[in-house]
């Protein structure tokens, strides 16, 4: 009550914090021995950041834990990848897409082909604000049958443009798509097309 703590909203998938085991919702209670309660956010961020290859020590409290756990992370240069993927336990494929750029067409194709033995796919579009329509069309074609409708454009009630899957389908595994209030534009087109064809479940 009346206290504000430094809380991790979302660790960068390929960064040192994620690899160390930190997750969304974790509370950082101390940084270098100093409490984070009711402290200025920019000041705390400055303490966490620093020169590459140096270390920072802090304590973390996670929901369900009875006490804080100490962490030490070696700082790195962070590269924001637009596409990330990995195989999760149980044969679950996971793909995270942050934008719809031209290069993401090949990135997603490579990711799906690399995880060809997956039993199901989790496609994460949370926070994806969109990008190129042609990328949304290409990605939808990876999961839909040839000729299935992806999106139409109408002007004054008349159909002006119609995009359908081009036959480049890569997989038939079940798909779950994760979206939130930050998923917009091309994200909505891709999620909507797969949902309409009952190809994916939207969460």
């Amino acid at each position: 009550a009346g206290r504000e703590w430094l809380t991790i909203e979302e660790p960068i998938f390929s960064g040192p914090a994620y690899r160390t085991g930190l997750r969304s919702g974790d509370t950082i209670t101390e940084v270098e021995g100093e409490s984070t309660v009711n402290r200025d956010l920019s000041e705390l961020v400055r303490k966490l950041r620093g020169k590459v290859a140096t270390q920072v020590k802090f304590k973390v409290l996670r929901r369900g834990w009875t006490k804080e756990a100490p962490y030490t992370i070696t700082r790195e240069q962070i590269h924001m990848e637009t596409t990330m993927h990995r195989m999760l336990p149980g044969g679950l494929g996971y793909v995270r897409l942050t934008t719809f750029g031209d290069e993401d067409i090949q990135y997603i194709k490579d990711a799906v082909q690399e995880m060809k033995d997956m039993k199901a796919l989790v496609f994460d579009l949370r926070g994806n604000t969109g990008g190129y329509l042609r990328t949304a069309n290409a990605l939808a074609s990876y999961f839909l049958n040839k000729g299935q409708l992806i999106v139409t454009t109408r002007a004054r009630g008349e159909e002006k443009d119609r995009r359908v899957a081009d036959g480049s389908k890569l997989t038939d595994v079940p798909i779950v798509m994760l979206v939130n209030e930050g998923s917009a534009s091309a994200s909505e087109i891709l999620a909507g097309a797969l949902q309409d064809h009952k190809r994916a479940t939207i969460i």
Side-chain angles (χ1 to χ4, degrees):
R3 293 185 175 187
E4 294 183 352
W5 300 90
L6 181 63
T7 303
I8 297 174
E9 182 173 315
E10 187 175 4
I12 296 170
F13 189 67
S14 59
Y18 187 92
R19 295 200 310 271
T20 305
L22 296 176
R23 296 295 181 261
S24 299
D26 285 353
T27 298
I28 299 177
T29 59
E30 287 186 13
V31 178
E32 297 292 358
E34 295 185 22
S35 172
T36 66
V37 66
N38 295 336
R39 296 283 296 276
D40 180 70
L41 177 60
S42 58
E43 178 187 348
L44 293 172
V45 170
R46 281 195 298 270
K47 290 179 71 67
L48 288 168
R49 288 178 176 170
K51 292 182 179 180
V52 171
T54 61
Q55 291 187 329
V56 59
K57 296 181 179 181
F58 51 91
K59 290 184 178 180
V60 171
L61 187 62
R62 181 175 296 171
R63 183 184 297 274
W65 289 2
T66 57
K67 61 180 182 179
E68 301 155 307
Y71 280 80
T72 301
I73 286 183
T74 301
R75 297 179 174 102
E76 298 177 11
Q77 183 72 40
I78 301 299
H79 302 282
M80 294 294 290
E81 300 169 331
T82 61
T83 305
M84 295 146 276
H85 73 279
R86 66 181 299 185
M87 283 291 287
L88 300 175
L92 268 183
Y94 173 85
V95 171
R96 173 73 186 272
L97 184 64
T98 59
T99 64
F100 279 74
D102 279 330
E103 68 280 1
D104 296 308
I105 296 173
Q106 187 62 45
Y107 287 163
I108 295 297
K109 182 177 183 179
D110 291 345
V112 173
Q113 290 178 333
E114 185 178 320
M115 301 187 297
K116 63 182 183 300
D117 295 328
M118 62 186 169
K119 297 176 182 177
L121 173 64
V122 177
F123 204 122
D124 194 345
L125 293 174
R126 290 174 296 178
N128 187 315
T129 55
Y132 296 132
L133 176 59
R134 59 181 173 270
T135 302
N137 292 332
L139 299 190
S141 293
Y142 290 161
F143 306 107
L144 296 176
N145 294 324
K146 184 175 182 178
Q148 287 187 306
L149 179 64
I150 299 171
V151 64
T152 60
T153 303
R154 294 178 179 273
R156 297 183 179 179
E158 295 183 10
E159 187 175 300
K160 298 295 183 181
D161 187 37
R162 183 178 183 87
R163 308 290 177 94
V164 298
D166 62 13
S168 56
K169 190 175 185 181
L170 296 175
T171 181
D172 286 306
V173 299
I175 300 172
V176 167
M177 302 200 87
L178 306 181
V179 298
N180 62 9
E181 66 279 1
S183 307
S185 183
S187 296
E188 296 171 291
I189 291 172
L190 177 59
L194 268 61
Q195 183 182 49
D196 285 352
H197 292 294
K198 296 181 172 55
R199 185 65 186 88
T201 299
I202 308 300
I203 297 178

